[in-house]
Amino acid sequence: MKAGSELLKRQQTPIHFRNKDMDFMLNWSLGISQLIGMSPGEILLIAQKIRNGQPQDWESGFKQHAHYLAEQARRSLEKGYCRTASQQYFGACYALKAALQFSDPRLPDYQSNYDRMEEYFSKGSHLANLPLQEITIPYQNTHLPGYYLKSRREKQPTLLVIGGGDTGRADLFYFLGQKAFQADYNVLMVDLPGQGINPARNLTFTVDAGQAVSAVLDWYDAPSGAIALAGLSGGGYFTAQAVEKDKRIKAWIASTPIYDIKAVFQHSFGRLSALPNPVLQFAGSLLSSVSAVTAVQLKKYAWQFGTENFSQAVKEVLKQAYTVNIDKISVPSLFLAGKGEDAELIRQAKVLAQNLSARDIPAALKEFDSLSGADAHCQVNNLRLMNHIVLDWLDMTFKNR
Amino acid sequence: MKAGSELLKRQQTPIHFRNKDMDFMLNWSLGISQLIGMSPGEILLIAQKIRNGQPQDWESGFKQHAHYLAEQARRSLEKGYCRTASQQYFGACYALKAALQFSDPRLPDYQSNYDRMEEYFSKGSHLANLPLQEITIPYQNTHLPGYYLKSRREKQPTLLVIGGGDTGRADLFYFLGQKAFQADYNVLMVDLPGQGINPARNLTFTVDAGQAVSAVLDWYDAPSGAIALAGLSGGGYFTAQAVEKDKRIKAWIASTPIYDIKAVFQHSFGRLSALPNPVLQFAGSLLSSVSAVTAVQLKKYAWQFGTENFSQAVKEVLKQAYTVNIDKISVPSLFLAGKGEDAELIRQAKVLAQNLSARDIPAALKEFDSLSGADAHCQVNNLRLMNHIVLDWLDMTFKNR
């Protein structure tokens, strides 16, 4: 992997950086700006001061801006400017989240920064008069952290949002939570094992994420039987596991849906498992052939898998992961895929849509081309469009609303 | 004026184009993406296909994308996807508006494209369930076109939004109208003489815009005496004229406030009036020393002034315009200014804030630095922040709400 090559293909239109993983993160931050927090101009100004492919520049640039915004929020609040303070806290939250994306989670200040990021999220939400509840869901001998936004109307449907390998529960708010709540859905946003800050207490990725999703529904006192499950990125696999087995789920949205995680890992990371472990482990510091951006991401993923390095994680996935039996999935489904995404992800989405349709189960596959501005992974480059399509589809699916 | 130099200083942080007026328009489009319509990624993709300083590239790029989005909206509507169609119509509206920014208004298809732009706006609004009313306000022996969003709650305050030399009534929606309506204000968005498509029926800029603002209030059946007036860009002068004389206005917001328009024209365009008329008139086609971007803008402004060319307009302003008597302004005022703006605009904002404060009239001057991402003209690079500050201030000013 040369500097400039990407860990996973997630977009096709370059924005600013030659390093594709860094450019994807910029694209993602710009996408968030469509819905909440910082402005596009604000983000591009930070980006202009970051050297291509230098994760420490990225980390310090976004961290500094997060501190600036948090200070601005405090000043706004002193004047009684609640809307302004809310926006600034949300901006601080997602600026700090962007910084953490290229931080080593094993360094001591990672967790305190993560906690601060969630504190900003909580402040932003409450100042926006959102009835945000922090929830703690019993799971095995521990718990899963989440947020709950209970609809102000009675007996509304529920949307449970699940992220992937780069998200925490605060991300699930702009990905779908905010707009779904505004559209009168009850919204649950939960971090499964391996997600958010869970790995810090050794709650790492698990073979059957479906059990964790079911634990959420066991705990949840649903106001209506209309329960939809949405999975983003790796969440496309976790939710597939849940939909296969838990019949309380009545609708499924995935961007993109994944039933065969081994094939995805083989396709994207197979070349990594061929390298000897120490090479990958120390790649960032020793080898110029692996970019610093790739190195810090691999460290983070290894931490989430609870393995010493990422190549070991890949080997474990290829050995242990199970493939979802798609014939057992029988709920109306909306699948989203961008033309800028990895070919294997698009292939699995097509297989799933065809399989469901052949069994007369309503299934729609929406493929986003570059003109739509939503062709990147998880539609991060046009999150407003993705939100609207999901909610339009959900309203029609739960048409007795 | 060399290629790359700007007609009016409106920002300090470059985004993509060397031509500063084109880069400002890009910045503005990105700012709109924060609130409505297209995504930042969608806009940057269009920009990547535009050659620096080539207005015809800009015009055709944004026009094509507007047609694409309108077609997408029709398809979404066929499927019953109303939220999606609404976003796509809004996107089509503002893509077409961006195209018209660098179009010659004397060419035959300008008006039909302008009408189509407003048609997209209307469709987007109705699909978003906004109670948008087209209004026609008697003014002298003709009328002023506008939009009215009546609050769903009784006896709410009103915000009348007035734009400048580059806006139409549809722009006033994202500038302040949408968020103010969401915050339970009644919202009026009106095109004064010289604005929007008014010049096409010879309703060009007038010496006393205050009379036009008063005509709106004469016509308006206000649900409450709490009436605020907001002026953006040139609207900072038009609203100053109104606030000086019409005592029905109880609060004033201006970004930026202008009491001495002659000084602004002298400072920004004085060098133009020194050139012989034919040079300016044919500058775009004959002289490489005036950029094509500047040339098309000057044509548009001349059309809005009802003069043969812009240098004649400048001469008329310097001869006829009157300076507002700031000692007669006596309402609580919020002034917004960006550090990237022309020095004369910032100077007048400071003079006004000091004058009002010295007379114990509540006046706040908010200056945006580059870190805020809102330092451009009219805060186009962080419109969400500008909206929140204005609404927080308005809520406190009309505190009996």
Side-chain angles (χ1 to χ4, degrees):
Chain A
M1 305 215 305
K2 300 280 177 204
S5 85
E6 67 221 301
L7 194 53
L8 181 69
K9 185 169 188 294
R10 293 182 289 193
Q11 67 180 33
Q12 57 190 347
T13 307
I15 300 288
H16 177 79
F17 294 111
R18 252 186 329 117
N19 180 287
K20 290 179 182 176
D21 286 324
M22 186 171 266
D23 207 48
F24 174 75
M25 287 300 162
L26 176 62
N27 213 345
W28 185 355
S29 291
L30 286 172
I32 300 171
S33 80
Q34 241 190 317
L35 296 174
I36 199 162
M38 294 180 283
S39 76
E42 204 172 353
I43 291 162
L44 289 171
L45 183 65
I46 300 170
Q48 285 174 7
K49 294 174 188 162
I50 295 169
R51 288 168 297 173
N52 176 58
Q54 299 294 325
Q56 69 278 24
D57 280 16
W58 174 283
E59 187 185 353
S60 69
F62 278 97
K63 204 175 273 182
Q64 275 172 33
H65 199 69
H67 294 162
Y68 158 80
L69 282 171
E71 177 55 29
Q72 295 297 309
R74 277 186 285 272
R75 290 187 200 178
S76 297
L77 208 49
E78 274 172 20
K79 291 197 292 180
Y81 279 27
C82 292
R83 289 181 185 86
T84 306
S86 171
Q87 171 179 340
Q88 287 161 334
Y89 274 126
F90 278 128
C93 163
Y94 297 119
L96 195 47
K97 184 61 176 31
L100 289 169
Q101 213 67 41
F102 288 142
S103 305
D104 181 348
R106 289 185 168 110
L107 293 181
D109 63 346
Y110 186 91
Q111 179 149 3
S112 60
N113 278 313
Y114 197 95
D115 292 346
R116 187 168 300 128
M117 180 274 291
E118 290 201 334
E119 181 194 319
Y120 295 154
F121 176 75
S122 177
K123 286 182 174 173
S125 300
H126 291 119
L127 285 166
N129 293 318
L130 287 164
L132 186 81
Q133 298 176 39
E134 284 212 36
I135 55 177
T136 300
I137 294 153
Y139 169 72
Q140 295 179 351
N141 59 350
T142 178
H143 71 274
L144 303 173
Y147 293 125
Y148 181 35
L149 284 167
K150 186 165 167 46
S151 172
R152 295 197 172 97
R153 292 177 57 199
E154 298 293 311
K155 303 200 174 181
Q156 293 298 298
T158 295
L159 179 64
L160 167 53
V161 191
I162 300 295
D166 288 306
T167 54
R169 57 183 179 171
D171 293 297
L172 308 178
F173 180 66
Y174 61 77
F175 260 121
L176 277 171
Q178 174 179 228
K179 288 265 183 197
F181 175 73
Q182 287 168 352
D184 293 322
Y185 284 78
N186 297 291
V187 178
L188 289 163
M189 303 169 279
V190 180
D191 282 336
L192 304 188
Q195 298 184 316
I197 198 68
N198 284 338
R201 51 190 177 91
N202 298 318
L203 193 60
T204 53
F205 285 128
T206 173
V207 172
D208 186 5
Q211 286 181 29
V213 172
S214 291
V216 179
L217 297 182
D218 291 345
W219 164 88
Y220 183 51
D221 185 16
S224 135
I227 295 174
L229 180 64
L232 298 150
S233 189
Y237 175 61
F238 307 143
T239 56
Q241 293 180 297
V243 170
E244 178 193 8
K245 291 179 181 159
D246 195 322
K247 300 306 165 192
R248 291 170 292 187
I249 300 159
K250 303 300 182 204
W252 182 32
I253 298 129
S255 177
T256 63
I258 297 168
Y259 61 91
D260 184 354
I261 194 71
K262 284 184 186 175
V264 173
F265 269 62
Q266 189 63 54
H267 189 258
S268 290
F269 309 125
R271 58 199 165 156
L272 291 180
S273 63
L275 294 172
N277 278 352
V279 172
L280 273 166
Q281 198 170 358
F282 300 110
S285 47
L286 297 181
L287 290 179
S288 65
S289 67
V290 174
S291 83
V293 168
T294 302
V296 73
Q297 288 182 99
L298 294 182
K299 274 186 196 167
K300 187 172 152 290
Y301 293 142
W303 173 74
Q304 292 176 270
F305 275 100
T307 56
E308 259 187 69
N309 54 55
F310 187 65
S311 107
Q312 197 186 320
V314 173
K315 282 180 187 159
E316 292 299 317
V317 168
L318 295 179
K319 193 163 69 188
Q320 294 188 46
Y322 87 85
T323 297
V324 171
N325 181 348
I326 61 177
D327 294 326
K328 292 197 175 160
I329 296 175
S330 55
V331 294
S333 298
L334 173 65
F335 303 136
L336 308 173
K339 299 241 177 181
E341 295 200 75
D342 188 89
E344 175 60 19
L345 296 178
I346 298 176
R347 188 193 68 77
Q348 294 199 20
K350 286 182 176 165
V351 168
L352 264 160
Q354 283 160 7
N355 179 291
L356 268 68
S357 295
R359 290 184 285 128
D360 287 332
I361 298 159
L365 169 58
K366 171 75 187 164
E367 283 187 272
F368 296 95
D369 60 16
S370 64
L371 269 180
S372 71
D375 57 330
H377 187 55
C378 295
Q379 290 70 60
V380 297
N381 49 348
N382 201 341
L383 288 172
R384 186 184 293 134
L385 183 63
M386 183 272 270
N387 269 267
H388 285 155
I389 288 174
V390 167
L391 290 170
D392 280 337
W393 179 85
L394 258 185
D395 276 2
M396 295 185 85
T397 299
F398 291 149
K399 58 169 81 73
N400 56 342
R401 291 190 73 196
Chain B
M1 304 215 306
K2 299 280 177 204
S5 85
E6 67 221 301
L7 194 53
L8 181 70
K9 185 168 187 295
R10 293 182 288 193
Q11 67 180 33
Q12 57 190 346
T13 306
I15 299 288
H16 178 78
F17 294 111
R18 252 186 328 118
N19 180 287
K20 290 179 182 176
D21 286 324
M22 186 171 267
D23 207 48
F24 175 75
M25 287 301 163
L26 177 62
N27 213 345
W28 185 355
S29 291
L30 286 173
I32 300 171
S33 80
Q34 241 191 317
L35 296 174
I36 198 163
M38 295 180 282
S39 76
E42 204 172 353
I43 292 163
L44 289 170
L45 184 65
I46 300 170
Q48 284 174 7
K49 294 174 188 162
I50 295 169
R51 288 169 297 172
N52 176 58
Q54 300 293 326
Q56 69 278 24
D57 280 16
W58 175 282
E59 187 185 354
S60 69
F62 277 97
K63 204 175 272 180
Q64 275 172 34
H65 199 69
H67 294 161
Y68 157 80
L69 282 172
E71 177 56 28
Q72 294 298 309
R74 277 186 285 272
R75 290 186 199 179
S76 297
L77 208 49
E78 275 172 20
K79 291 198 291 180
Y81 280 26
C82 292
R83 288 182 186 85
T84 307
S86 171
Q87 171 179 341
Q88 287 161 334
Y89 274 126
F90 278 128
C93 162
Y94 296 119
L96 195 47
K97 183 63 177 27
L100 289 169
Q101 213 67 42
F102 288 143
S103 305
D104 181 348
R106 289 186 167 110
L107 293 181
D109 63 346
Y110 186 91
Q111 180 150 2
S112 60
N113 278 314
Y114 197 95
D115 292 346
R116 186 169 300 127
M117 180 274 291
E118 290 200 334
E119 181 193 320
Y120 295 154
F121 176 75
S122 177
K123 286 182 174 172
S125 300
H126 290 120
L127 285 165
N129 294 318
L130 287 164
L132 186 82
Q133 298 176 39
E134 283 212 36
I135 54 177
T136 300
I137 294 154
Y139 169 72
Q140 295 179 353
N141 59 350
T142 178
H143 71 274
L144 303 173
Y147 293 125
Y148 180 34
L149 284 167
K150 186 165 166 47
S151 172
R152 294 196 172 98
R153 292 177 57 198
E154 297 294 310
K155 303 201 174 181
Q156 293 299 298
T158 295
L159 178 64
L160 167 53
V161 191
I162 300 295
D166 289 306
T167 55
R169 57 183 179 171
D171 294 296
L172 307 179
F173 180 66
Y174 62 76
F175 260 121
L176 277 171
Q178 174 179 228
K179 288 266 183 197
F181 175 73
Q182 288 169 352
D184 293 321
Y185 284 78
N186 297 291
V187 178
L188 289 163
M189 302 168 280
V190 180
D191 281 337
L192 304 188
Q195 299 184 315
I197 198 68
N198 284 339
R201 50 189 177 91
N202 298 318
L203 193 60
T204 52
F205 285 127
T206 173
V207 172
D208 186 5
Q211 286 181 29
V213 171
S214 291
V216 179
L217 297 182
D218 292 344
W219 164 89
Y220 183 51
D221 185 16
S224 135
I227 295 174
L229 180 64
L232 299 149
S233 189
Y237 175 60
F238 307 144
T239 55
Q241 293 180 297
V243 170
E244 178 193 8
K245 291 179 181 159
D246 196 321
K247 300 306 165 192
R248 291 170 292 186
I249 301 158
K250 303 300 183 204
W252 182 32
I253 298 130
S255 177
T256 62
I258 297 168
Y259 61 91
D260 184 354
I261 194 71
K262 284 184 186 177
V264 173
F265 268 62
Q266 190 63 54
H267 189 258
S268 291
F269 309 124
R271 59 200 164 156
L272 291 180
S273 63
L275 295 172
N277 278 352
V279 172
L280 273 166
Q281 199 168 358
F282 300 109
S285 47
L286 296 182
L287 290 179
S288 65
S289 67
V290 174
S291 83
V293 168
T294 301
V296 73
Q297 288 182 99
L298 294 181
K299 274 186 195 168
K300 187 172 152 292
Y301 293 142
W303 173 75
Q304 292 175 270
F305 275 99
T307 56
E308 259 187 69
N309 53 54
F310 187 65
S311 106
Q312 197 186 321
V314 173
K315 282 180 188 159
E316 291 299 318
V317 169
L318 295 180
K319 193 163 69 188
Q320 293 187 46
Y322 87 85
T323 298
V324 171
N325 182 348
I326 60 177
D327 294 326
K328 292 197 175 160
I329 296 175
S330 55
V331 294
S333 298
L334 173 65
F335 303 135
L336 308 173
K339 299 240 178 182
E341 295 200 75
D342 188 271
E344 175 60 19
L345 297 178
I346 298 176
R347 188 193 68 78
Q348 294 199 20
K350 285 183 177 166
V351 168
L352 264 160
Q354 283 160 7
N355 179 291
L356 269 68
S357 295
R359 290 185 285 127
D360 287 332
I361 298 159
L365 169 59
K366 171 75 188 165
E367 283 187 272
F368 296 94
D369 60 16
S370 64
L371 269 180
S372 71
D375 56 330
H377 188 55
C378 296
Q379 290 70 60
V380 297
N381 48 349
N382 201 342
L383 288 172
R384 186 185 292 134
L385 182 64
M386 183 272 270
N387 269 266
H388 285 156
I389 288 174
V390 167
L391 291 170
D392 279 336
W393 180 85
L394 258 185
D395 276 2
M396 294 185 85
T397 299
F398 291 150
K399 57 169 82 73
N400 57 342
R401 292 189 73 196

